[in-house]
Structure formats: structure tokens, C-alpha cells
Amino acid sequence: MPFAHWNADRAAAIVAAQANREGALLPVLHALDHAFGHVPDAAVPIIAQALNLSRAEVHGVISFYHDFKTTPPPPHVLKLCRAEACQARGGEAMAARTLARLADRADIAIEAVYCLGLCASGPAAMFDGRLAARLDDDRLTAIVEAAG
Amino acid sequence: MVARVYVPGDAAAVAVGADEVAAALAAVAARLSTPIEIIRNGSRGMFWLETLVEVETPQGRIGYGPIEAPEVPDLVAAGLFDGAPHAKRVGRPDEIPFLARQTRLTFARCGVIDPGSLDDYRGHGGLKGLERARDLGMIGILDEVTASGLRGRGGAGFPTGIKWRTVAEAVADRKFVVCNADEGDSGTFADRMIMEGDPFVLIEGMIIAGLAVEASYGYVYIRSEYPHAIAALERAIVTAREAGLLGAAFDLEVRAGAGAYVCGEETALLDSLEGKRGVVRVKPPLPAHKGLFGKPTVVNNVLSLAAIPFILAEGAAAYRTFGMGRSRGTMPIQLAGNIRRGGLYETAFGVTLGELVEDIGGGTWSGRPVRAVQVGGPLGAYFPPSLFDTPFDYEAFAARDGLIGHGGVVVFDDSVDMARQARFAMQFCAVESCGKCTPCRLGAVRGTEVIDKIITGQDVAANLSLVEDLCHTMKLGSLCALGGFTPYPVMSAITHFPEDFGARRTMAAE
């Protein structure tokens, strides 16, 4: 999915739209991530100012959660489930082969995810936000290839 | 007549092509000028049959599965819309043994109704619990929930009635109802299924909780790995608000998590909702006294809240008839991993692990022998087949150094390396630790290293006793279940599968 380029004015508007909610920081970070695909360091002072928090507090929250990245993502993101239910159906071996096969694809970030809730249909993955289950090497390759 | 066709919109069906099946059905019907109505129901929970297409006929709903999009033209030509014979026809879904043998109280409507339709919900018994709750009033609701024997379905098994009474008795200007939908355990998907397949039952349960404790606002904290559940529940909340169920007296909103397993721990979840790092709080004070924003708060799992409408509608006695010992009612058990018939199996407490895995689940998906079964998620113990007589019951599992947790059952065949599984448990704890307490933060890292030494055959006997000692410290010294329960998978793997720890001789010599 295409994300907007970082823009401080737009970021400030996004933050302002969420700032009055109780416990606003996670909704703010999700909204920024949704717009820009990441939450860069430049966002920290904007958020801190709007929510009356210290920059350290904002940075601490961003760095705590796996979802929030501080650099823009590559065009494609493949999240492979590495949790027990998918392990039980050969998920680890499939993940190892996939990592090797796609090692030189700089356009794809391959991440581990611990459970997509598809535990009776593993191995499972999410590619560019779309779920896929009952995977094998061929199906997974087809899904990745279809995206170019 | 317009043929009514059901194609699940459940994430586990979508992940195996349900959207493409629905699109193919619409395209074929349009080409044939056959008017059809496609309803995106929840899943029945028989995942080996997904995508399970159902068609309404005078004989009831007839199922076909598993269906993939390219098969659709042939299926329609064979007479799908009339329920005609076909190799993939499975008959009436509720007569399939896997479903027929269940006791679906919480999941009665899941997979049956249109999850987006409040009318459909009401037409299938929905909102009866809320009506009766309004008649009973605060004290009456508390008595009913206490009498039902319902215990927290998130894993801890704390009596729901006592928790609610504590919040009800607390004095404050504001109180909250928080639904824990951070279903992070591998092998579990019941929360996700109910939010996608019958979201109004959760909303009804939360409104009743609000009445019982005099809370006026609720949050549903859903993990970000569940985008379909977030969307389904947000839609249902809008519908419920338009219908006047939610509003000034009690309102709700969904908050998305951000990929932190520890936020499934209730106090870390509360901090996350407040916009902080998801760090575990020291208890006391209990959330029931000082919870969200320091106010008295009910924190309940999705399945606990979703059980409430039945209890109020049919009465506590009807619920507590089911079960055994102090585990009353039904448990939505999730059969997962390397299992032939995986899915959602709601049944009264008391069914044995062996019945679940061998009889109901049909053994392994790979066809190889079952070697280990992890019950209760990443913090649950591994059970060997020699313990398959253990009944599904909080106390029976505790007596065998295990836990039922959120009801996930993950099956492994004989290709599993239990030393690797023990290492994974430690590594997972290290990755997901919130960092507040030392036994968890440091223990999990050191535990991973020591198990690595065992795997490579260094000083096996000494290192095994070191792991045991470390597990003892983590179990007793950690603030929450993440560090405190990681010893369950580790120690159960060592105890029941010593041959995988290079310990055949050393253990026998002790």
C-alpha cells in the first residue's frame, strides 16, 4: 500500500485530530503509521507538544511496541507466523526456506509475527495486509510473485 | 426465489480464499441471471472445511466444502443453489459430528447469523439477556453471574461474579468496563471468531457488565494482528449506537493494540490503554479498585463477557448444569496446530484431552503419531499422550502442572524436537517481556542461553539443573504470568520428554 511522504504539517493535523481522546497516544501513533507507514523521530516533538508529554515518554512508547517503526517500510511486507501452532505444521522450515529464497529482495521486508489467529490452518502469513493460510512454498511464492 | 448463500467472512476463511469464492459465486450467478443473496457469516469453526459455502434450501442449510474459487462454476452447474449432490457436499453443517457433539452456548449463533445484522441477532435470541438484566437490576445481575459459577475465560479462572461485585461496591465518579481482546496465545482464535461472527453478543455482555457495576464507558482492546475483528466490532458498535443500545447511558469504543504480547496481561493492557508502554503493574491495588485512569475497572476476557448474555437470558442454573467440580458451564476449546479436524469446539468442562485430540480432532494432520500437546498457549505445559486422560478442568490441569489458559490445544506430531520447543518458550518470553521485573527480563535471556548449551551437549546434567533452578525463580519471582508461567512449557518438556535433552543417561543416573 502506498504511504504518504513525511509531512510535518499533515502530521500535526493528524495528531490534533486524536489529541483530545483519553489515553490518546496509541491512537495517535496508529494514525500516523496509517498515513506514513512509519513514525519517524521528527514526529516525536509534535506528539509531545500536542499531548503535553515529554519527548522521552513518547519515544519510550514508540520503541516499546513492535508495530511502530521509525523508518519507512519497503514496498512489501511479509509477516510469517512463527508461533507454536504454525511451527507444528512445518512453519519453521518454510520460514527458513522463504528467508533464503527472498534474501536478495530488498523490496520485501520479512518479519516474524506471533500468531495471526489462524492456528487450525497453518502455516499462516500476512502479505501487504492480506491474510494467507494453509501455506506451502508454492502458494507462498505465488502470493509474493503476484505482487511483482 | 432468491437463493441465499452463505460464505464466511471470518479471517480464517478469508485466508484460504473465501473472498474469491464469494466473488466467483456472484459472477457466475450474474452470468446465469440467477438472483442470489450472499451473506458473509462467521465461521462455524470447522476450519478443515473452509471455505464452507452454505445454501438455504427447504431441507435447511446445506454445506459444501472446502471450496476454492476455480471450483465455483462446476459447483453451480451441479445445482449448488438447490442443495444438489456433489462430491464436496457435506450435508447440514449442524449434523456434522464435530458440530453435533458440541454444546454451543456462547457460540450458538456464530456461523449461523449475519454478523452485521442486529435484527438477525435479535431473531436468534439476542438481547434477551439484556432485557432480563434490566428487570433484575444491579444486585440481581451480580447474584445471577455469581451463581452461574462463571470463571474468567482469559486464563486465570477468577470468579467473574466476585470481580464484578468488587467493582460494584467501589465508590468513584467514573468506572469502566474493559474487554481484553488481546488474544495473543498461539493456538487460540475464539475471541477473534466471536468478534467477527457474532459481535453483538460481546456488546450485549459489556452493556450488562456496565449495568452490574454502574460503569458508563467501555473499551475493547483488540490486538492489531486482528484487523478483521477490529472492523467487524467497530461496525457492530455503530449499528448498536444507531439502535439506541449504546449511547449516553453506556458507550463503547475499540482500541487497537500494537503488537505486544504482554498487553494481554490485564494491568499492562490498562497502561497501554492509557497511552503508555505496556508495562505490568504491581498488584495490589487491583484493577477492580484502581484500574483504568485510576478508576474501578472490570477487566474481562471476550469469552467471559460473551458468556454473560446466555447466563442472564436462561438463568444461572441453566449455565452451571454444565461442567465439573469448580469449572462450571462450557469452554470454547480451540483445536489447533498439527490436527486433522482443527477448529472451535465448545463443550462442557470435563472432556478429556485424549477425546479432544484423537476422537474429536481425528489425530494429526500429517498422519504421524501425536507426540506432544501444548495446552493453554505459549505459557502452557506440553502434555504427552500418557496424560491424555486429564479432564479439561482448571483444577485437573493444575494438578498435573499445567493450565487450560484460554483453551488453546496445539498438537505436535513425532517430528517435534522438545528441546527446541523449550528454547522457544524462553526466547518468546525474552522477546515479549515488558522488562519490569528481573526474573522475567533477565531469566528468559539466560534461560535461552542455557538451553542452547544443553542442545549442543555441554554439561547437560549441570545445565538441566540450572534451568530447573531458574524456572523456580521465574515462577515465584515474576510479577505476572509471562515470566511466571514460562516455566510450564520449559519444565513440562524436560519432565515428559527427557530423551530430547541429550539426557538419557544423566537423568536416569540421578
Side-chain angles (χ1 to χ4, degrees):
Chain A
M1 73 234 56
F3 292 109
H5 285 291
W6 172 251
N7 175 308
D9 290 337
R10 184 154 172 231
I14 289 168
V15 175
Q18 305 284 340
N20 291 325
R21 299 173 73 173
E22 278 194 281
L25 187 47
L26 258 69
V28 161
L29 295 173
H30 275 303
L32 290 171
D33 185 59
H34 187 75
F36 303 110
H38 69 299
V39 183
D41 292 341
V44 173
I46 299 172
I47 300 166
Q49 175 78 27
L51 300 187
N52 195 25
L53 297 168
S54 72
R55 292 181 190 196
E57 283 170 308
V58 176
H59 172 78
V61 171
I62 293 171
S63 59
F64 182 84
Y65 294 97
H66 297 306
D67 279 7
F68 303 127
K69 311 273 192 278
T70 53
T71 52
H76 303 292
V77 178
L78 175 63
K79 295 184 179 184
L80 295 172
C81 178
R82 309 292 294 272
E84 292 92 333
C86 285
Q87 291 170 9
R89 287 175 62 134
E92 283 305 280
M94 192 188 77
R97 290 191 301 270
T98 305
L99 283 163
R101 197 167 57 243
L102 299 177
D104 54 357
R105 289 284 298 265
D107 60 330
I108 304 176
I110 304 176
E111 298 172 3
V113 62
Y114 293 100
C115 198
L116 295 164
L118 310 175
C119 315
S121 328
M126 187 186 258
F127 185 66
D128 290 347
R130 287 179 55 102
L131 292 171
R134 282 190 210 134
L135 287 171
D136 53 31
D137 290 38
D138 290 346
R139 268 205 75 196
L140 188 55
T141 304
I143 290 167
V144 172
E145 295 299 317
Chain B
M1 202 188 78
V2 179
R4 182 174 288 176
V5 186
Y6 293 82
V7 182
D10 181 279
V14 170
V16 294
D19 287 350
E20 290 78 5
V21 169
L25 279 165
V28 171
R31 198 166 67 230
L32 300 173
S33 303
T34 308
I36 64 166
E37 183 192 1
I38 297 175
I39 293 168
R40 302 305 301 272
N41 56 328
S43 174
R44 298 269 193 170
M46 300 182 286
F47 288 120
W48 73 96
L49 287 177
E50 295 293 359
T51 300
L52 175 64
V53 176
E54 293 176 50
V55 59
E56 208 159 81
T57 74
Q59 290 76 46
R61 277 157 70 163
I62 302 294
Y64 296 82
I67 302 300
E68 295 197 27
E71 301 173 85
V72 167
D74 282 350
L75 197 64
V76 172
L80 166 77
F81 297 143
D82 302 311
H86 186 274
K88 294 265 179 101
R89 188 182 190 273
V90 294
R92 294 177 48 141
D94 43 18
E95 288 173 356
I96 295 172
F98 187 89
L99 259 188
R101 292 172 62 182
Q102 299 192 35
T103 303
R104 286 204 163 183
L105 308 183
T106 301
F107 278 77
R109 281 172 296 263
C110 190
V112 177
I113 63 167
D114 175 354
S117 165
L118 189 56
D119 289 337
D120 216 0
Y121 179 66
R122 203 181 270 123
H124 285 79
L127 301 181
K128 271 204 237 162
L130 178 58
E131 264 170 50
R132 183 148 173 272
R134 288 201 169 114
D135 292 342
L136 286 173
M138 184 176 171
I139 303 296
I141 300 169
L142 293 172
D143 288 345
E144 201 75 12
V145 173
T146 306
S148 75
L150 177 67
R151 293 165 69 179
R153 297 289 187 250
F158 188 81
T160 306
I162 294 176
K163 188 184 278 185
W164 285 20
R165 204 176 291 275
T166 310
V167 178
E169 286 166 358
V171 181
D173 57 340
R174 285 200 301 169
K175 298 178 187 177
F176 294 101
V177 176
V178 170
C179 173
N180 183 346
D182 195 55
E183 185 177 53
D185 288 358
S186 175
T188 65
F189 40 79
D191 296 353
R192 180 185 66 64
M193 276 182 69
I194 206 87
M195 290 188 285
E196 292 174 4
D198 190 13
F200 292 111
V201 77
L202 175 58
I203 294 173
E204 185 181 351
M206 290 186 73
I207 297 171
I208 295 170
L211 286 172
V213 306
E214 295 186 309
S216 59
Y217 207 81
Y219 291 91
V220 186
Y221 186 94
I222 309 180
R223 60 202 298 264
S224 61
E225 292 87 345
Y226 281 2
H228 291 77
I230 292 173
L233 200 64
E234 283 185 333
R235 270 197 305 273
I237 287 172
V238 170
T239 304
R241 215 174 271 144
E242 284 166 1
L245 285 171
L246 296 173
F250 184 82
D251 211 347
L252 268 185
E253 71 172 273
V254 172
R255 286 287 172 96
Y261 176 78
V262 75
C263 288
E265 196 283 331
E266 62 177 3
T267 62
L269 186 152
L270 292 174
D271 266 23
S272 184
L273 268 179
E274 291 180 4
K276 300 172 186 161
R277 294 161 68 92
V279 172
V280 173
R281 299 179 184 173
V282 179
K283 291 193 270 192
L286 296 170
H289 291 130
K290 280 185 193 295
L292 187 62
F293 305 116
K295 305 295 180 186
T297 304
V298 166
V299 186
N300 277 145
N301 175 252
V302 173
L303 298 180
S304 312
L305 289 161
I308 295 293
F310 175 90
I311 291 167
L312 268 295
E314 306 299 327
Y319 191 75
R320 67 170 300 120
T321 314
F322 299 101
M324 67 175 277
R326 296 202 296 118
S327 304
R328 307 313 311 176
T330 58
M331 181 73 197
I333 297 166
Q334 298 126 83
L335 303 178
N338 197 331
I339 191 162
R340 200 148 74 94
R341 290 187 292 271
L344 190 285
Y345 196 87
E346 181 176 354
T347 188
F349 285 97
V351 62
T352 67
L353 189 53
E355 280 174 81
L356 286 168
V357 172
E358 302 286 4
D359 194 17
I360 295 157
T364 63
W365 161 77
S366 61
R368 302 174 68 97
V370 175
R371 179 141 186 259
V373 178
Q374 189 179 27
V375 182
L379 309 175
Y382 286 97
F383 280 74
S386 59
L387 295 178
F388 272 10
D389 60 337
T390 313
F392 221 83
D393 162 75
Y394 291 103
E395 279 69 39
F397 266 74
R400 288 185 165 173
D401 292 322
L403 50 113
I404 66 172
H406 187 50
V409 174
V410 177
V411 177
F412 292 79
D413 71 14
D414 62 353
S415 65
V416 69
D417 177 343
M418 296 308 296
R420 290 265 154 215
Q421 297 310 119
R423 183 192 189 277
F424 177 79
M426 281 291 187
Q427 185 198 18
F428 183 75
C429 180
V431 171
E432 298 297 335
S433 175
C434 81
K436 181 154 179 165
C437 71
T438 313
C440 175
R441 184 184 67 242
L442 292 186
V445 177
R446 295 291 168 259
T448 312
E449 292 165 359
V450 177
I451 295 174
D452 273 338
K453 287 183 187 164
I454 295 168
I455 289 172
T456 53
Q458 300 172 50
D459 265 339
V460 171
N463 280 318
L464 274 172
S465 64
L466 197 57
V467 168
E468 193 174 338
D469 188 58
L470 177 63
C471 281
H472 187 71
T473 302
M474 287 175 72
K475 191 171 176 178
L476 299 179
S478 299
L479 266 179
C480 83
L482 180 50
F485 288 4
T486 292
Y488 280 107
V490 175
M491 287 312 299
S492 60
I494 294 172
T495 307
H496 301 308
F497 307 92
E499 62 274 21
D500 283 14
F501 292 80
R504 251 157 283 181
R505 270 166 310 166
T506 41
M507 292 288 277
E510 281 174 8

